[in-house]
Amino acid sequence: MIGSRKSLNSQVLIRLITVILVCLTATVVAIKIPNPNYADALTKSILFFEGQRSGKLPPNQRMTWRKDSALLDGADKGVDLVGGYYDAGDNVKFHFPMAFTTTMLAWSVEQFKNSMGPDLQHATEAIRWSTDYFLKATNIPNMVYAQVGNAEGDHNCWERPEDMDTPRTAFAVTAQAPGSEVSAEIAAALAAASVVFKPTDPAYSKSLVNRAVQVFEFADKYRGSYNDSIGPWVCPFYCNYNGYNDELLWAAAWLLKATKKPTYWSYVKQNIINFKSGMESGLSEFGWDAKHAGINVLISKFVLDNPSNANPFLPYADTFVCSVLPESPTNTVRYTPGGLMYKSGICNMQNPTALSFLLLTYARYMKSRVIRCGNTDVTQKMLIRFARSQVNYILGRNPMNMSYMVGFGTKFPQRIHHRGASLPSIDQHPEKIGCKEGSQYFLSENPNPNLHIGAVVGGPDIRDYFADSRPNSAQSEPATYVNAPLVGLLAYFKAHP
């Protein structure tokens, strides 16, 4: 018995030593794995927006396979609505997600411009391409254009934006048919952009903030959802599922930041109470449709400097953190086995980029402050480390060993769900490709002929598996609102590798 026990103890000791050696080896290997080239990824993430441009392209257009498109937008209503962005792989201009994209691009620059280097100019150009357009879309008092293009018609075709012949109907919200969510988000975008341009172009900045004030007043005075006004055209693509109260608060918060006027602080403070039930049910939500977490993180900068105003903004922001971090006992978010934040639905990658941006921004605001999640203390370093893990996953540190940004790294998606990228460019194929003539390219298993550099696709499924398939739009389609917060993340990690 003694001999057997001695032998058993020896086996246990050997096994323990083996485990320790494996762990040490894994640690050494992990240390040796370099971080991705954040600077390269930043440049490409901004370049992506040039491939999404609608309208008359400028002489310095770098994504040269794209050409002028939709040059008569707004003509059906006798207005100029040329410009702006296509939201994803289609040819419709949905102003609700376009405005959120603009807000997040502006927040990225406002927070991280000192880390952008030569990319700063391109980032501000990307913002201005959108704000110039939104000044057109809000040019008539008590009217906001909310969409250009018939989504059903567009989605039944597979054609280049340069060729499209589907209806380019312009849809507006008015005092009689309101759309508070889309109007307030446009106001937020204009206000956020005004902060960006204030140091370099104060006249343009003033025009943006003045228009933001007008559009916000319209959104607040004539309350209602655009689901009820132009729902048949915006739904089911960009229906508003979370109500419009969060957009009103979001816009007011950005106007507070842009103007420093106490009236906006009073509005935010009063209405955070009036909209309490909606806020508390969506504290971990942030994206084109839900601004709850973003409001609290944005306001936290203001209230951290004025502790008497902390409630309820800091508790709400802390709850957001605790609902997201995997080590938190109150975490409500799922993760893939490889560690990517995952929420079911279309284009999952919008969640890790937007939520990671908020966590990184909040970490920079909170500095040495510690958040208590149950029995776990959460520090600034933990939030930054988590945000980095999500960015690294996107850029290639994942079970598929592939980058989900087109053109970054050696392995990336080749068949993204994007009309312009999947069809031969006009340079290669000058003849028009009609509505159904593009189907052969859509169904082809060949790689896309045009490299849409910087496009971040919807990403893998809950098991970390990615099917590089054009028809699988949930996984293979890029979107502007995925890239916009990623710009800020990449700028920070470029400066803090």
Side-chain angles (χ1 to χ4, degrees):
M1 288 292 292
I2 295 175
S4 299
R5 184 176 298 168
K6 193 173 189 179
S7 174
L8 182 62
N9 287 342
S10 298
Q11 292 174 16
V12 170
L13 182 61
I14 291 169
R15 188 174 300 169
L16 179 61
I17 291 170
T18 302
V19 170
I20 292 171
L21 287 172
V22 168
C23 291
L24 286 172
T25 303
T27 302
V28 171
V29 170
I31 291 171
K32 285 184 177 180
I33 297 175
N35 279 318
N37 186 336
Y38 300 120
D40 182 45
L42 172 63
T43 298
K44 289 172 177 173
S45 70
I46 298 169
L47 179 61
F48 162 72
F49 290 95
E50 295 191 17
Q52 296 299 116
R53 284 172 169 168
S54 179
K56 181 73 177 175
L57 301 184
N60 63 347
Q61 170 80 9
R62 295 175 294 166
M63 199 80 83
T64 55
W65 52 267
R66 279 298 324 284
K67 308 298 178 185
D68 299 343
S69 63
L71 298 180
L72 296 177
D73 279 1
D76 66 311
K77 299 295 191 295
V79 295
D80 176 9
L81 292 175
V82 176
Y85 289 109
Y86 304 118
D87 71 299
D90 52 20
N91 300 325
V92 183
K93 294 189 299 197
F94 295 99
H95 295 185
F96 193 22
M98 191 198 303
F100 176 71
T101 293
T102 310
T103 309
M104 293 309 297
L105 267 177
W107 201 0
S108 290
V109 172
E110 185 270 331
Q111 279 291 298
F112 305 109
K113 62 182 178 183
N114 293 334
S115 304
M116 290 187 172
D119 290 308
L120 177 60
Q121 178 184 344
H122 296 300
T124 54
E125 287 172 356
I127 296 168
R128 192 162 191 150
W129 189 265
S130 192
T131 51
D132 282 352
Y133 177 72
F134 281 130
L135 288 174
K136 295 179 181 182
T138 58
N139 197 39
I140 302 172
N142 292 335
M143 177 181 285
V144 170
Y145 282 96
Q147 180 175 318
V148 178
N150 183 302
E152 290 288 353
D154 178 87
H155 287 193
N156 284 328
C157 290
W158 195 262
E159 57 187 349
R160 300 177 296 201
E162 295 83 0
D163 287 336
M164 60 182 169
D165 47 14
T166 53
R168 299 299 294 171
T169 313
F171 301 96
V173 295
T174 63
Q176 294 73 36
S180 294
E181 64 280 270
V182 64
S183 303
E185 186 60 57
I186 291 173
L190 294 169
S194 76
V195 176
V196 170
F197 288 104
K198 190 173 184 177
T200 57
D201 193 341
Y204 186 63
S205 172
K206 187 175 182 180
S207 69
L208 293 178
V209 77
N210 287 344
R211 184 63 58 82
V213 169
Q214 294 172 23
V215 176
F216 172 70
E217 289 174 353
F218 165 72
D220 191 41
K221 182 178 180 180
Y222 303 102
R223 293 190 183 185
S225 173
Y226 82 155
N227 290 358
D228 301 321
S229 304
I230 55 173
W233 298 282
V234 300
C235 294
F237 311 100
Y238 289 102
C239 272
N240 177 16
Y241 298 99
N242 283 281
Y244 54 77
N245 291 334
D246 55 327
E247 276 80 29
L248 290 172
L249 275 172
W250 177 240
W254 274 108
L255 280 164
L256 172 64
K257 188 173 183 67
T259 67
K260 307 293 191 294
K261 289 184 178 179
T263 51
Y264 294 112
W265 169 238
S266 298
Y267 184 97
V268 171
K269 195 170 184 180
Q270 179 59 46
N271 285 289
I272 197 82
I273 297 169
N274 293 343
F275 304 155
K276 185 176 180 180
S277 60
M279 288 297 300
E280 292 184 343
S281 65
L283 286 177
S284 63
E285 297 294 325
F286 188 58
W288 60 263
D289 184 37
K291 313 306 183 311
H292 307 89
I295 294 162
N296 294 300
V297 170
L298 180 61
I299 291 294
S300 71
K301 172 62 174 171
F302 178 78
V303 301
L304 281 167
D305 296 331
N306 303 272
S308 61
N309 295 318
N311 287 322
F313 306 99
L314 284 190
Y316 281 170
D318 290 352
T319 299
F320 158 65
V321 170
C322 296
S323 70
V324 172
L325 284 191
E327 56 263 60
S328 167
T330 55
N331 163 46
T332 61
V333 177
R334 288 195 299 170
Y335 289 86
T336 68
L340 181 70
M341 184 186 301
Y342 190 87
K343 290 189 177 184
S344 58
I346 297 173
C347 190
N348 173 63
M349 211 62 90
Q350 64 186 303
N351 298 303
T353 61
L355 296 179
S356 294
F357 178 93
L358 287 189
L359 291 173
L360 175 63
T361 301
Y362 194 38
R364 297 176 78 239
Y365 290 166
M366 63 187 269
K367 298 177 182 176
S368 60
R369 182 171 169 268
V370 174
I371 298 169
R372 188 78 172 163
C373 298
N375 58 358
T376 302
D377 287 339
V378 176
T379 64
Q380 180 188 55
K381 286 184 178 180
M382 291 170 67
L383 297 185
I384 295 172
R385 184 170 65 241
F386 172 81
R388 188 190 298 274
S389 74
Q390 298 300 291
V391 171
N392 286 354
Y393 186 109
I394 292 168
L395 297 181
R397 195 173 293 179
N398 55 63
M400 293 287 291
N401 292 313
M402 72 179 296
S403 160
Y404 289 106
M405 176 186 284
V406 174
F408 182 84
T410 57
K411 181 183 177 185
F412 50 81
Q414 302 288 330
R415 302 165 188 84
I416 69 170
H417 182 97
H418 190 279
R419 285 158 177 77
S422 67
L423 293 161
S425 69
I426 287 176
D427 291 333
Q428 275 69 50
H429 192 292
E431 298 80 15
K432 180 177 177 177
I433 300 174
C435 171
K436 297 301 181 182
E437 292 173 22
S439 299
Q440 60 177 312
Y441 298 97
F442 172 69
L443 297 171
S444 168
E445 294 186 4
N446 294 330
N448 287 351
N450 306 309
L451 208 59
H452 199 346
I453 296 172
V456 177
V457 297
D461 62 19
I462 187 63
R463 299 178 302 278
D464 293 301
Y465 176 72
F466 177 76
D468 190 3
S469 167
R470 206 171 290 113
N472 186 353
S473 59
Q475 287 190 281
S476 65
E477 188 170 16
T480 56
Y481 44 86
V482 173
N483 273 57
L486 185 61
V487 167
L489 288 161
L490 292 169
Y492 176 84
F493 291 123
K494 169 191 171 184
H496 302 83

